[in-house]
């Protein structure tokens, strides 16, 4: 394969001549010297071209280029402490690959709707570039966490006859002669595969037809969901904590330039180191009330409650043992207090709220079936799920981490919509 | 976190006492000695329990257990060259976690429909275990290939207003006030993100409502799709070859026990080393005809043609430059012969056929738009895609590798349906 040079790795080639292939992100000219901001998808670098070095014709052609024109720039790499990237290119030659039409996105303020309509172009700008690179780093690190600890990735179905968390928010499609629903979670299937493979995780899209327009919701989002056989609530909390700590560490170590582009307060992220406080739902309610926030035991935390609660801490917190009525049917009861479940959610600090939800799963077939009947679920459709408790039932548990919510927090964003390349929202199916 | 022991790593604990947590995969008894086949999702091990060591009560209870009962077995690890796993456990104690109901799957022959109805249990059997572990290894290695080479993972949408490859095989769903389709490929979006991030890949589910019942088709399958800016057909072929070679190497190195369970001919896999022959479509047609197989230039290869062709070679082959009429609108024309495109598919040997498809993409906005109009595509809907050619168009290309087809070949399976935990097929939406 031919050797390629990328801005991200340009520091390896100081004082050597390289050719970079990219796009024009910005430019200014003094008449004799042209400063070209080049981006190649891995970073940004300033390229300095003098009329004397590149010749009148090339100089003039480059000087006229629209933003986002594509070009190959050949030059010598110099270390330059004043440059944002730490390096600069002294240009020997410029090859224009394609002179762009006038670019619709400029430095001036654009409305969100306009930018979202042009999302396919907007992702080229430095902030979006930074967010998408951080997102990718989070996912790579999350997969590595599980891959390196003996978990088996098992992809769970997108099309399913089952409704995991209520039917009102399900997308439905015709599946030949019957109806199918788009998945909202791989968890139930994960429980089956954990019994076959011990420790598993799935990682895929989840789809919720929620008519809510909030800063925290996407119609289409990605979730990593581990499930572990022979695990209890304590194990699940340990794994959540270790995972999130590793992700933060990985982002801080590998995505410093991107965090800088976003002007993210990395001190706040660095503080999010374990151990994370573990408090029961009941204790959390008490803390809320002590902070002067009205909240009654038995309710589910809303976005506002989570914001208040998570602002009381500098690290993520693990809130465990939620009441039965606010958690799904499959949560195991707490043997010490049957009004609560062996559930645990993680709330991110700085007001970001829930990023992880999980717990220990019900182990007894009869009790689980009774609960499903009480909730009016189609028990026939779930016989396979009950089978997991009939043939070698074991204590087990797991959790789901929503990638976009996590990235919203890590990037310090006010809204979740920029954490995925092509967000799907209530009024947004395009591009 | 508490220390856990897994069969996969049991070799680290020879002559030490460990507790394994798993399920009973099989047993036989001599009256005084009980041979328990234990599985824990990472492997299988024989546990030898003598009546004298575990006591009458435990011995009797264990002797009565149904297959797939869950149990914790404590004992000392011994290296034993005769054991399939290389190790054996001398049992000191057995804790029964859950005595299973009589297990529906036995050693006798079951029909495929019965096994598929019990897929949630069938995946516990050794062959299915082996296939799913190999699948996971393939995916981990494929991601690592791209992650370690500076590609950015960008998840592309599942719900889309666009139809990439014809509307007849699309699943449709109501998206609030309009219609959305389930994705069949992330490629078009990949082209946009490649212009923002240089080298990208997506990895997600693809859904095709195809009414075909073949050994090679699933309704729901997973695809890894890289896309590279500033890349031409040669680059794409190089990457395909390097990727597939690395995947084969990784499976041979890390999944030898699983390949042994499947009785896979690993010699055949080891022979699949690069360089892979590269032949044009035109040359491939000639080879087919020379082999006495009727085929006319201009047709698309069917499953049978691919089988004949791929049996002529011991390695995968790269077939490039297919005729315009058998390839999608976005393929770049060959500048040397406009009747063919800069496309390339990889066919696996041993008769398995296509596992990768891709090529170089059309770079010119006007020509691309003309082609879209010729094919009757809704050009308005694709303005964003044309924009990629208006603002810094570059030579670029990529490909898609279908995970299940690849795993079918690697595992040497007669049918694709066992390569995913819960297959979705024409008459199969459950469990």
């Amino acid at each position: 394969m031919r050797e390629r040079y990328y801005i991200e790795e340009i520091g390896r080639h100081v004082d050597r001549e390289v050719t970079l292939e990219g796009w024009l992100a910005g430019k200014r000219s003094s008449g004799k010297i042209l400063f070209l901001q080049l981006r190649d998808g891995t970073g940004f670098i300033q390229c300095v071209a003098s009329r004397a070095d590149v010749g009148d014709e090339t100089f003039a052609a480059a000087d006229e280029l629209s933003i986002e024109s594509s070009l190959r720039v050949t030059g010598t790499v110099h270390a330059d402490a004043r440059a944002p990237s730490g390096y600069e290119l002294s240009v020997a030659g410029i090859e224009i690959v394609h002179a762009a039409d006038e670019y619709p996105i400029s430095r001036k303020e654009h409305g969100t709707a306009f930018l979202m309509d042009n999302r396919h172009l907007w992702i080229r700008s430095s902030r979006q570039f930074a967010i998408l690179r951080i997102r990718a780093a989070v996912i790579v690190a999350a997969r590595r966490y599980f891959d390196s600890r003996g978990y088996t990735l098992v992809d769970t179905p997108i099309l399913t006859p089952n409704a995991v968390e209520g039917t009102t928010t399900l997308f439905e499609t015709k599946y030949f002669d019957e109806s199918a629903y788009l998945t909202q979670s791989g968890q139930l299937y994960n429980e089956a595969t954990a019994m076959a493979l011990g420790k598993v995780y799935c990682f895929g899209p989840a789809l919720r037809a929620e008519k809510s327009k909030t800063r925290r919701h996407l119609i289409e989002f990605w979730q990593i969901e581990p499930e572990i056989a022979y695990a209890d609530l304590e194990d699940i909390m340990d794994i959540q904590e270790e995972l999130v700590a590793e992700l933060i560490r990985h982002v801080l170590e590998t995505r410093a330039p991107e965090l800088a582009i976003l002007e993210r307060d990395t001190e706040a992220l660095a503080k999010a180191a374990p151990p994370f406080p573990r408090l029961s739902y009941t204790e959390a309610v008490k803390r809320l009330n002590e902070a002067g926030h009205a909240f009654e035991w038995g309710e589910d935390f809303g976005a506002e409650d989570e914001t208040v609660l998570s602002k009381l801490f500098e690290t993520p917190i693990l809130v465990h043992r939620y009441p039965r009525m606010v958690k799904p049917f499959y949560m195991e009861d707490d043997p010490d207090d049957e009004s609560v479940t062996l559930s645990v959610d993680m709330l991110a600090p700085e007001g970001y709220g829930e990023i992880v939800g999980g717990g220990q799963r019900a182990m007894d077939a009869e009790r689980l079936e009774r609960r499903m009947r009480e909730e009016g679920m189609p028990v026939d459709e779930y016989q396979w799920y009950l089978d997991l408790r009939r043939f070698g039932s074991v204590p087990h548990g797991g959790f789901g981490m929503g990638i976009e919510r996590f990235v919203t927090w890590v990037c310090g964003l006010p809204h979740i919509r920029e954490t995925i390349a092509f967000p799907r929202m209530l009024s947004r199916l395009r591009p």
Side-chain angles (χ1 to χ4, degrees), chain A:
Chain A
M1 234 170 299
R2 72 190 169 98
E3 198 177 2
R4 294 276 303 263
Y5 300 95
Y6 288 97
I7 294 170
E8 184 175 27
E9 304 165 343
I10 204 72
R12 294 189 202 161
H13 307 290
V14 171
D15 295 332
R16 285 168 52 194
E17 187 171 280
V18 301
T19 297
L20 293 171
E21 302 176 300
W23 295 263
L24 188 63
K27 71 171 196 299
R28 59 194 171 84
S29 171
S30 74
K32 286 185 179 163
I33 299 182
L34 200 54
F35 299 92
L36 305 172
Q37 251 336 92
L38 190 75
R39 65 167 194 88
D40 71 351
T42 74
F44 296 80
I45 193 168
Q46 177 156 280
C47 306
V48 184
S50 74
R51 189 185 287 273
D53 287 345
V54 300
D56 282 342
E57 200 179 335
T58 300
F59 192 91
D63 200 11
E64 277 177 16
L65 279 181
S66 299
I67 296 301
E68 285 303 320
S69 292
S70 46
L71 61 174
R72 294 190 179 91
V73 182
T74 301
T76 307
V77 181
H78 296 297
D80 184 341
R82 294 162 309 169
S85 68
Y87 303 94
E88 219 176 61
L89 202 74
S90 293
V91 178
I94 298 172
E95 180 198 343
I96 297 167
V97 177
H98 177 246
D101 290 357
E102 198 188 338
Y103 197 60
I105 302 176
S106 61
R107 281 189 191 278
K108 71 164 195 249
E109 284 281 316
H110 295 285
T112 304
F114 175 83
L115 291 170
M116 278 293 173
D117 287 342
N118 287 285
R119 184 68 179 161
H120 56 293
L121 302 176
W122 188 24
I123 52 176
R124 301 181 182 190
S125 69
S126 62
R127 277 185 60 88
Q128 303 307 313
F129 160 88
I131 296 168
L132 292 177
R133 298 245 310 170
I134 290 170
R135 175 195 170 94
V138 166
I139 295 175
V140 167
R143 288 189 170 267
R144 251 181 226 167
Y145 175 90
F146 293 111
D147 293 339
S148 65
R149 283 165 178 80
Y151 289 71
T152 301
L153 166 74
V154 188
D155 299 303
T156 50
I158 304 304
L159 295 173
T160 146
N162 312 313
V164 177
E165 311 208 358
T167 53
T168 53
T169 61
L170 286 171
F171 283 106
E172 189 176 348
T173 188
K174 227 182 119 222
Y175 191 88
F176 306 106
D177 298 330
E178 54 183 324
S179 277
Y181 300 96
L182 302 196
T183 184
Q184 299 194 330
S185 162
Q187 182 208 312
L188 303 195
Y189 290 101
N190 269 347
E191 291 184 55
T193 62
M195 303 304 141
L197 296 151
K199 297 193 287 192
V200 299
Y201 73 98
C202 68
F203 199 164
L207 298 117
R208 295 200 183 173
E210 260 176 301
K211 286 204 176 151
S212 57
K213 250 187 173 169
T214 81
R215 294 177 299 110
R216 295 187 186 189
H217 284 88
L218 289 171
I219 298 294
E220 201 180 294
F221 59 100
W222 287 70
Q223 261 187 141
I224 190 159
E225 299 179 89
E227 190 75 26
I228 305 103
Y230 287 101
D232 61 21
L233 180 63
E234 289 301 311
D235 295 326
I236 300 307
M237 289 200 274
D238 290 347
I239 297 165
Q240 286 186 9
E241 180 178 84
E242 194 181 54
L243 169 67
V244 168
E246 184 158 313
L247 297 188
I248 294 296
R249 206 164 46 234
H250 181 77
V251 170
L252 285 171
E253 277 171 21
T254 67
R255 289 294 175 259
E258 287 80 4
L259 292 167
I261 288 173
L262 298 173
E263 297 173 347
R264 176 65 167 113
D265 175 5
T266 51
E267 286 296 309
L269 286 181
K271 276 183 199 151
F276 300 160
R278 299 178 182 196
L279 62 165
S280 71
Y281 167 89
T282 303
E283 289 161 340
V285 171
K286 212 171 134 211
R287 294 292 299 260
L288 274 179
N289 291 339
E290 283 169 4
H293 185 79
F295 188 90
E296 272 201 42
W297 196 99
E299 291 174 34
D300 200 2
F301 294 134
E304 207 197 325
D305 310 313
E306 285 180 9
T307 299
V308 173
L309 192 55
S310 72
K311 278 190 173 164
L312 299 175
F313 300 87
E314 288 195 324
T315 70
I317 57 172
L318 292 156
V319 181
H320 53 79
R321 293 182 170 79
Y322 285 75
R324 156 66 47 210
M325 56 272 220
V326 303
K327 284 292 171 188
F329 71 97
Y330 48 70
M331 288 293 181
E332 186 68 287
D333 291 327
D334 184 350
D336 297 328
D337 175 1
E338 294 220 344
S339 70
V340 297
T341 56
L342 296 178
S343 48
V344 56
D345 290 355
M346 189 188 290
L347 309 189
E350 303 176 72
Y352 280 91
E354 189 190 333
I355 48 173
V356 178
Q360 196 175 323
R361 320 303 187 186
M363 193 176 150
D364 182 74
E366 279 179 35
R367 225 162 38 170
L368 182 59
E369 183 169 344
R370 201 166 54 237
R371 190 166 302 141
M372 289 165 72
R373 288 193 191 284
E374 282 165 11
E375 299 205 6
M377 292 174 62
V379 173
D380 280 357
E381 193 65 83
Y382 288 93
Q383 287 304 315
W384 68 269
Y385 185 67
L386 290 166
D387 273 357
L388 308 178
R389 281 76 181 170
R390 294 175 183 134
F391 304 106
S393 191
V394 303
H396 67 286
F399 58 88
M401 187 177 86
I403 294 301
E404 289 79 11
R405 287 209 181 168
F406 187 83
V407 173
T408 303
W409 166 47
V410 168
C411 292
L413 304 177
H415 198 296
I416 199 169
R417 65 188 160 216
E418 294 176 26
T419 61
I420 188 164
F422 295 96
R424 294 296 177 247
M425 294 178 292
L426 191 50
S427 49
R428 170 71 54 199
L429 176 62
R430 293 178 170 80

